mmCIF file of all heavy atoms in Angstrom:
data_model
loop_
_atom_site.group_PDB
_atom_site.id
_atom_site.type_symbol
_atom_site.label_atom_id
_atom_site.label_comp_id
_atom_site.label_asym_id
_atom_site.label_seq_id
_atom_site.Cartn_x
_atom_site.Cartn_y
_atom_site.Cartn_z
ATOM 1 N N ARG A 1 0.806 -1.221 0.000
ATOM 2 C CA ARG A 1 0.000 0.000 0.000
ATOM 3 C C ARG A 1 0.841 1.274 0.000
ATOM 4 O O ARG A 1 0.378 2.318 -0.468
ATOM 5 C CB ARG A 1 -0.957 -0.017 1.195
ATOM 6 C CG ARG A 1 -2.021 -1.104 1.063
ATOM 7 C CD ARG A 1 -2.976 -1.134 2.240
ATOM 8 N NE ARG A 1 -2.352 -1.561 3.486
ATOM 9 C CZ ARG A 1 -2.249 -2.834 3.887
ATOM 10 N NH1 ARG A 1 -2.740 -3.802 3.144
ATOM 11 N NH2 ARG A 1 -1.663 -3.136 5.026
ATOM 12 N N THR A 2 2.076 1.206 0.517
ATOM 13 C CA THR A 2 2.975 2.376 0.503
ATOM 14 C C THR A 2 4.384 1.946 0.070
ATOM 15 O O THR A 2 5.365 2.186 0.774
ATOM 16 C CB THR A 2 3.033 3.059 1.893
ATOM 17 O OG1 THR A 2 3.540 2.117 2.851
ATOM 18 C CG2 THR A 2 1.681 3.583 2.327
ATOM 19 N N PRO A 3 4.506 1.312 -1.087
ATOM 20 C CA PRO A 3 5.827 0.796 -1.492
ATOM 21 C C PRO A 3 6.877 1.885 -1.696
ATOM 22 O O PRO A 3 8.044 1.664 -1.389
ATOM 23 C CB PRO A 3 5.534 0.044 -2.788
ATOM 24 C CG PRO A 3 4.279 0.658 -3.317
ATOM 25 C CD PRO A 3 3.483 1.048 -2.104
ATOM 26 N N GLU A 4 6.473 3.047 -2.179
ATOM 27 C CA GLU A 4 7.443 4.124 -2.386
ATOM 28 C C GLU A 4 7.994 4.613 -1.046
ATOM 29 O O GLU A 4 9.193 4.851 -0.909
ATOM 30 C CB GLU A 4 6.819 5.307 -3.158
ATOM 31 C CG GLU A 4 6.440 4.980 -4.581
ATOM 32 C CD GLU A 4 5.038 4.367 -4.700
ATOM 33 O OE1 GLU A 4 4.275 4.341 -3.694
ATOM 34 O OE2 GLU A 4 4.708 3.898 -5.797
ATOM 35 N N GLN A 5 7.117 4.759 -0.058
ATOM 36 C CA GLN A 5 7.551 5.199 1.273
ATOM 37 C C GLN A 5 8.519 4.182 1.878
ATOM 38 O O GLN A 5 9.551 4.551 2.440
ATOM 39 C CB GLN A 5 6.339 5.386 2.185
ATOM 40 C CG GLN A 5 6.707 5.824 3.584
ATOM 41 C CD GLN A 5 5.512 5.818 4.529
ATOM 42 O OE1 GLN A 5 4.425 5.363 4.197
ATOM 43 N NE2 GLN A 5 5.719 6.322 5.730
ATOM 44 N N ALA A 6 8.197 2.902 1.755
ATOM 45 C CA ALA A 6 9.072 1.851 2.295
ATOM 46 C C ALA A 6 10.435 1.886 1.603
ATOM 47 O O ALA A 6 11.480 1.795 2.260
ATOM 48 C CB ALA A 6 8.403 0.489 2.137
ATOM 49 N N ALA A 7 10.433 2.017 0.290
ATOM 50 C CA ALA A 7 11.687 2.051 -0.469
ATOM 51 C C ALA A 7 12.522 3.263 -0.084
ATOM 52 O O ALA A 7 13.748 3.155 0.112
ATOM 53 C CB ALA A 7 11.394 2.042 -1.964
ATOM 54 N N GLN A 8 11.891 4.428 0.039
ATOM 55 C CA GLN A 8 12.620 5.647 0.399
ATOM 56 C C GLN A 8 13.206 5.543 1.803
ATOM 57 O O GLN A 8 14.350 5.935 2.035
ATOM 58 C CB GLN A 8 11.707 6.865 0.291
ATOM 59 C CG GLN A 8 11.368 7.233 -1.136
ATOM 60 C CD GLN A 8 10.264 8.283 -1.229
ATOM 61 O OE1 GLN A 8 9.712 8.730 -0.225
ATOM 62 N NE2 GLN A 8 9.943 8.673 -2.448
ATOM 63 N N PHE A 9 12.415 5.028 2.736
ATOM 64 C CA PHE A 9 12.906 4.878 4.104
ATOM 65 C C PHE A 9 14.135 3.980 4.127
ATOM 66 O O PHE A 9 15.160 4.306 4.726
ATOM 67 C CB PHE A 9 11.822 4.297 5.021
ATOM 68 C CG PHE A 9 12.300 4.104 6.430
ATOM 69 C CD1 PHE A 9 12.181 5.130 7.353
ATOM 70 C CD2 PHE A 9 12.907 2.921 6.828
ATOM 71 C CE1 PHE A 9 12.652 4.980 8.656
ATOM 72 C CE2 PHE A 9 13.374 2.762 8.122
ATOM 73 C CZ PHE A 9 13.243 3.794 9.031
ATOM 74 N N SER A 10 14.034 2.848 3.473
ATOM 75 C CA SER A 10 15.118 1.874 3.468
ATOM 76 C C SER A 10 16.363 2.418 2.778
ATOM 77 O O SER A 10 17.480 2.234 3.266
ATOM 78 C CB SER A 10 14.631 0.594 2.789
ATOM 79 O OG SER A 10 15.604 -0.401 2.854
ATOM 80 N N ALA A 11 16.177 3.084 1.665
ATOM 81 C CA ALA A 11 17.314 3.626 0.916
ATOM 82 C C ALA A 11 18.078 4.670 1.724
ATOM 83 O O ALA A 11 19.302 4.783 1.595
ATOM 84 C CB ALA A 11 16.836 4.225 -0.405
ATOM 85 N N ALA A 12 17.396 5.400 2.577
ATOM 86 C CA ALA A 12 18.027 6.454 3.371
ATOM 87 C C ALA A 12 18.382 6.000 4.788
ATOM 88 O O ALA A 12 18.931 6.784 5.565
ATOM 89 C CB ALA A 12 17.094 7.661 3.446
ATOM 90 N N ALA A 13 18.095 4.763 5.135
ATOM 91 C CA ALA A 13 18.250 4.300 6.517
ATOM 92 C C ALA A 13 19.682 4.438 7.034
ATOM 93 O O ALA A 13 19.896 4.890 8.165
ATOM 94 C CB ALA A 13 17.764 2.857 6.657
ATOM 95 N N ARG A 14 20.656 4.047 6.265
ATOM 96 C CA ARG A 14 22.050 4.125 6.730
ATOM 97 C C ARG A 14 22.436 5.573 7.023
ATOM 98 O O ARG A 14 22.973 5.879 8.087
ATOM 99 C CB ARG A 14 23.005 3.513 5.702
ATOM 100 C CG ARG A 14 24.462 3.491 6.166
ATOM 101 C CD ARG A 14 25.403 2.934 5.114
ATOM 102 N NE ARG A 14 25.093 1.560 4.761
ATOM 103 C CZ ARG A 14 25.561 0.484 5.400
ATOM 104 N NH1 ARG A 14 26.346 0.637 6.445
ATOM 105 N NH2 ARG A 14 25.239 -0.722 4.992
ATOM 106 N N GLU A 15 22.152 6.477 6.103
ATOM 107 C CA GLU A 15 22.519 7.881 6.318
ATOM 108 C C GLU A 15 21.708 8.517 7.446
ATOM 109 O O GLU A 15 22.116 9.522 8.019
ATOM 110 C CB GLU A 15 22.405 8.697 5.034
ATOM 111 C CG GLU A 15 21.004 8.910 4.546
ATOM 112 C CD GLU A 15 20.937 9.561 3.161
ATOM 113 O OE1 GLU A 15 21.652 9.096 2.254
ATOM 114 O OE2 GLU A 15 20.156 10.511 3.016
ATOM 115 N N ASN A 16 20.585 7.907 7.799
ATOM 116 C CA ASN A 16 19.769 8.405 8.904
ATOM 117 C C ASN A 16 20.115 7.762 10.240
ATOM 118 O O ASN A 16 19.369 7.902 11.214
ATOM 119 C CB ASN A 16 18.287 8.232 8.586
ATOM 120 C CG ASN A 16 17.820 9.211 7.526
ATOM 121 O OD1 ASN A 16 18.314 10.335 7.449
ATOM 122 N ND2 ASN A 16 16.879 8.799 6.699
ATOM 123 N N GLY A 17 21.235 7.040 10.294
ATOM 124 C CA GLY A 17 21.748 6.545 11.567
ATOM 125 C C GLY A 17 21.295 5.160 11.986
ATOM 126 O O GLY A 17 21.533 4.745 13.110
ATOM 127 N N PHE A 18 20.663 4.423 11.078
ATOM 128 C CA PHE A 18 20.230 3.070 11.412
ATOM 129 C C PHE A 18 21.347 2.078 11.129
ATOM 130 O O PHE A 18 22.163 2.271 10.228
ATOM 131 C CB PHE A 18 18.973 2.691 10.618
ATOM 132 C CG PHE A 18 17.776 3.501 11.007
ATOM 133 C CD1 PHE A 18 17.416 4.629 10.295
ATOM 134 C CD2 PHE A 18 17.020 3.149 12.120
ATOM 135 C CE1 PHE A 18 16.327 5.396 10.662
ATOM 136 C CE2 PHE A 18 15.929 3.908 12.505
ATOM 137 C CZ PHE A 18 15.582 5.039 11.775
ATOM 138 N N GLY A 19 21.367 1.000 11.911
ATOM 139 C CA GLY A 19 22.340 -0.071 11.701
ATOM 140 C C GLY A 19 21.685 -1.369 11.290
ATOM 141 O O GLY A 19 22.320 -2.217 10.666
ATOM 142 N N VAL A 20 20.411 -1.536 11.626
ATOM 143 C CA VAL A 20 19.651 -2.749 11.324
ATOM 144 C C VAL A 20 18.187 -2.349 11.140
ATOM 145 O O VAL A 20 17.708 -1.437 11.813
ATOM 146 C CB VAL A 20 19.748 -3.796 12.463
ATOM 147 C CG1 VAL A 20 18.949 -5.046 12.139
ATOM 148 C CG2 VAL A 20 21.203 -4.165 12.763
ATOM 149 N N ILE A 21 17.515 -3.067 10.259
ATOM 150 C CA ILE A 21 16.072 -2.882 10.078
ATOM 151 C C ILE A 21 15.385 -4.194 10.422
ATOM 152 O O ILE A 21 15.781 -5.257 9.939
ATOM 153 C CB ILE A 21 15.726 -2.492 8.630
ATOM 154 C CG1 ILE A 21 16.389 -1.161 8.254
ATOM 155 C CG2 ILE A 21 14.205 -2.421 8.437
ATOM 156 C CD1 ILE A 21 16.258 -0.800 6.774
ATOM 157 N N ILE A 22 14.369 -4.108 11.266
ATOM 158 C CA ILE A 22 13.509 -5.256 11.560
ATOM 159 C C ILE A 22 12.172 -4.997 10.882
ATOM 160 O O ILE A 22 11.607 -3.905 11.023
ATOM 161 C CB ILE A 22 13.312 -5.429 13.083
ATOM 162 C CG1 ILE A 22 14.636 -5.758 13.762
ATOM 163 C CG2 ILE A 22 12.264 -6.505 13.371
ATOM 164 C CD1 ILE A 22 14.553 -5.791 15.288
ATOM 165 N N ALA A 23 11.675 -5.979 10.146
ATOM 166 C CA ALA A 23 10.416 -5.827 9.418
ATOM 167 C C ALA A 23 9.464 -6.943 9.807
ATOM 168 O O ALA A 23 9.790 -8.119 9.680
ATOM 169 C CB ALA A 23 10.667 -5.856 7.913
ATOM 170 N N ALA A 24 8.283 -6.561 10.285
ATOM 171 C CA ALA A 24 7.274 -7.543 10.683
ATOM 172 C C ALA A 24 6.075 -7.431 9.754
ATOM 173 O O ALA A 24 5.552 -6.339 9.540
ATOM 174 C CB ALA A 24 6.835 -7.294 12.122
ATOM 175 N N ALA A 25 5.656 -8.575 9.218
ATOM 176 C CA ALA A 25 4.493 -8.571 8.331
ATOM 177 C C ALA A 25 3.868 -9.952 8.304
ATOM 178 O O ALA A 25 4.543 -10.959 8.478
ATOM 179 C CB ALA A 25 4.896 -8.143 6.919
ATOM 180 N N GLY A 26 2.590 -9.964 8.076
ATOM 181 C CA GLY A 26 1.854 -11.217 7.959
ATOM 182 C C GLY A 26 1.380 -11.428 6.544
ATOM 183 O O GLY A 26 1.636 -10.625 5.651
ATOM 184 N N LYS A 27 0.695 -12.529 6.349
ATOM 185 C CA LYS A 27 0.121 -12.927 5.059
ATOM 186 C C LYS A 27 1.193 -12.948 3.977
ATOM 187 O O LYS A 27 2.136 -13.710 4.068
ATOM 188 C CB LYS A 27 -1.076 -12.063 4.712
ATOM 189 C CG LYS A 27 -2.192 -12.203 5.727
ATOM 190 C CD LYS A 27 -3.417 -11.434 5.313
ATOM 191 C CE LYS A 27 -4.495 -11.598 6.379
ATOM 192 N NZ LYS A 27 -5.701 -10.899 6.046
ATOM 193 N N ALA A 28 1.086 -12.126 2.932
ATOM 194 C CA ALA A 28 2.053 -12.155 1.832
ATOM 195 C C ALA A 28 3.447 -11.751 2.289
ATOM 196 O O ALA A 28 4.434 -12.175 1.705
ATOM 197 C CB ALA A 28 1.591 -11.258 0.692
ATOM 198 N N ALA A 29 3.554 -10.937 3.324
ATOM 199 C CA ALA A 29 4.804 -10.617 4.029
ATOM 200 C C ALA A 29 5.968 -10.233 3.123
ATOM 201 O O ALA A 29 7.074 -10.712 3.290
ATOM 202 C CB ALA A 29 5.204 -11.776 4.943
ATOM 203 N N HIS A 30 5.757 -9.317 2.220
ATOM 204 C CA HIS A 30 6.830 -8.871 1.335
ATOM 205 C C HIS A 30 7.629 -7.697 1.897
ATOM 206 O O HIS A 30 8.595 -7.258 1.288
ATOM 207 C CB HIS A 30 6.251 -8.478 -0.027
ATOM 208 C CG HIS A 30 5.647 -9.621 -0.751
ATOM 209 N ND1 HIS A 30 4.356 -9.629 -1.198
ATOM 210 C CD2 HIS A 30 6.157 -10.828 -1.083
ATOM 211 C CE1 HIS A 30 4.089 -10.780 -1.781
ATOM 212 N NE2 HIS A 30 5.170 -11.522 -1.713
ATOM 213 N N LEU A 31 7.241 -7.193 3.063
ATOM 214 C CA LEU A 31 7.858 -5.982 3.594
ATOM 215 C C LEU A 31 9.366 -6.116 3.780
ATOM 216 O O LEU A 31 10.130 -5.255 3.347
ATOM 217 C CB LEU A 31 7.191 -5.581 4.914
ATOM 218 C CG LEU A 31 7.692 -4.294 5.560
ATOM 219 C CD1 LEU A 31 7.514 -3.098 4.626
ATOM 220 C CD2 LEU A 31 6.976 -4.064 6.871
ATOM 221 N N ALA A 32 9.826 -7.169 4.416
ATOM 222 C CA ALA A 32 11.273 -7.326 4.649
ATOM 223 C C ALA A 32 12.039 -7.351 3.328
ATOM 224 O O ALA A 32 13.098 -6.731 3.207
ATOM 225 C CB ALA A 32 11.548 -8.597 5.453
ATOM 226 N N GLY A 33 11.496 -8.033 2.337
ATOM 227 C CA GLY A 33 12.155 -8.100 1.044
ATOM 228 C C GLY A 33 12.199 -6.761 0.335
ATOM 229 O O GLY A 33 13.215 -6.401 -0.273
ATOM 230 N N VAL A 34 11.128 -6.008 0.398
ATOM 231 C CA VAL A 34 11.102 -4.674 -0.220
ATOM 232 C C VAL A 34 12.131 -3.779 0.452
ATOM 233 O O VAL A 34 12.884 -3.068 -0.220
ATOM 234 C CB VAL A 34 9.686 -4.058 -0.145
ATOM 235 C CG1 VAL A 34 9.712 -2.572 -0.478
ATOM 236 C CG2 VAL A 34 8.743 -4.797 -1.087
ATOM 237 N N LEU A 35 12.183 -3.819 1.780
ATOM 238 C CA LEU A 35 13.172 -3.006 2.488
ATOM 239 C C LEU A 35 14.589 -3.452 2.143
ATOM 240 O O LEU A 35 15.468 -2.622 1.887
ATOM 241 C CB LEU A 35 12.923 -3.074 3.993
ATOM 242 C CG LEU A 35 11.593 -2.477 4.473
ATOM 243 C CD1 LEU A 35 11.355 -2.826 5.941
ATOM 244 C CD2 LEU A 35 11.535 -0.983 4.250
ATOM 245 N N ALA A 36 14.820 -4.761 2.123
ATOM 246 C CA ALA A 36 16.159 -5.287 1.820
ATOM 247 C C ALA A 36 16.601 -4.946 0.398
ATOM 248 O O ALA A 36 17.798 -4.764 0.148
ATOM 249 C CB ALA A 36 16.183 -6.800 2.022
ATOM 250 N N ALA A 37 15.665 -4.841 -0.509
ATOM 251 C CA ALA A 37 16.000 -4.529 -1.897
ATOM 252 C C ALA A 37 16.564 -3.126 -2.065
ATOM 253 O O ALA A 37 17.243 -2.850 -3.051
ATOM 254 C CB ALA A 37 14.761 -4.694 -2.775
ATOM 255 N N HIS A 38 16.318 -2.261 -1.075
ATOM 256 C CA HIS A 38 16.712 -0.860 -1.212
ATOM 257 C C HIS A 38 17.781 -0.419 -0.228
ATOM 258 O O HIS A 38 18.015 0.779 -0.057
ATOM 259 C CB HIS A 38 15.467 0.029 -1.068
ATOM 260 C CG HIS A 38 14.503 -0.148 -2.181
ATOM 261 N ND1 HIS A 38 13.465 -1.051 -2.128
ATOM 262 C CD2 HIS A 38 14.450 0.412 -3.407
ATOM 263 C CE1 HIS A 38 12.804 -1.013 -3.258
ATOM 264 N NE2 HIS A 38 13.379 -0.144 -4.052
ATOM 265 N N THR A 39 18.438 -1.370 0.452
ATOM 266 C CA THR A 39 19.479 -1.015 1.421
ATOM 267 C C THR A 39 20.564 -2.072 1.436
ATOM 268 O O THR A 39 20.346 -3.202 0.981
ATOM 269 C CB THR A 39 18.879 -0.853 2.845
ATOM 270 O OG1 THR A 39 19.883 -0.311 3.711
ATOM 271 C CG2 THR A 39 18.371 -2.171 3.403
ATOM 272 N N THR A 40 21.715 -1.705 1.977
ATOM 273 C CA THR A 40 22.766 -2.685 2.242
ATOM 274 C C THR A 40 22.853 -2.997 3.735
ATOM 275 O O THR A 40 23.726 -3.744 4.159
ATOM 276 C CB THR A 40 24.136 -2.176 1.746
ATOM 277 O OG1 THR A 40 24.414 -0.927 2.369
ATOM 278 C CG2 THR A 40 24.143 -2.029 0.227
ATOM 279 N N LEU A 41 21.951 -2.427 4.525
ATOM 280 C CA LEU A 41 21.888 -2.753 5.953
ATOM 281 C C LEU A 41 21.296 -4.145 6.138
ATOM 282 O O LEU A 41 20.501 -4.603 5.300
ATOM 283 C CB LEU A 41 21.004 -1.740 6.698
ATOM 284 C CG LEU A 41 21.528 -0.323 6.823
ATOM 285 C CD1 LEU A 41 20.489 0.555 7.501
ATOM 286 C CD2 LEU A 41 22.843 -0.293 7.566
ATOM 287 N N PRO A 42 21.621 -4.811 7.241
ATOM 288 C CA PRO A 42 20.963 -6.081 7.533
ATOM 289 C C PRO A 42 19.477 -5.858 7.791
ATOM 290 O O PRO A 42 19.093 -4.902 8.474
ATOM 291 C CB PRO A 42 21.651 -6.588 8.798
ATOM 292 C CG PRO A 42 22.795 -5.680 9.072
ATOM 293 C CD PRO A 42 22.620 -4.454 8.245
#
């Protein structure tokens, strides 16, 4: 429902001081993969 927002957040996560991203989702559960596709953070 908000793939652009998720991609932007993930792409900027390292420069915004994050070291790790935890993603929780049910059913189709593509959130972790979408976030991982846009970052080199774990």
Side-chain angles (χ1 to χ4, degrees):
R1 293 180 292 272
T2 61
E4 294 86 9
Q5 179 188 7
Q8 289 170 358
F9 179 89
S10 185
R14 183 182 299 273
E15 69 188 48
N16 288 327
F18 293 96
V20 180
I21 299 172
I22 296 174
K27 298 185 181 180
H30 295 124
L31 183 59
V34 167
L35 296 170
H38 293 92
T39 189
T40 57
L41 291 176

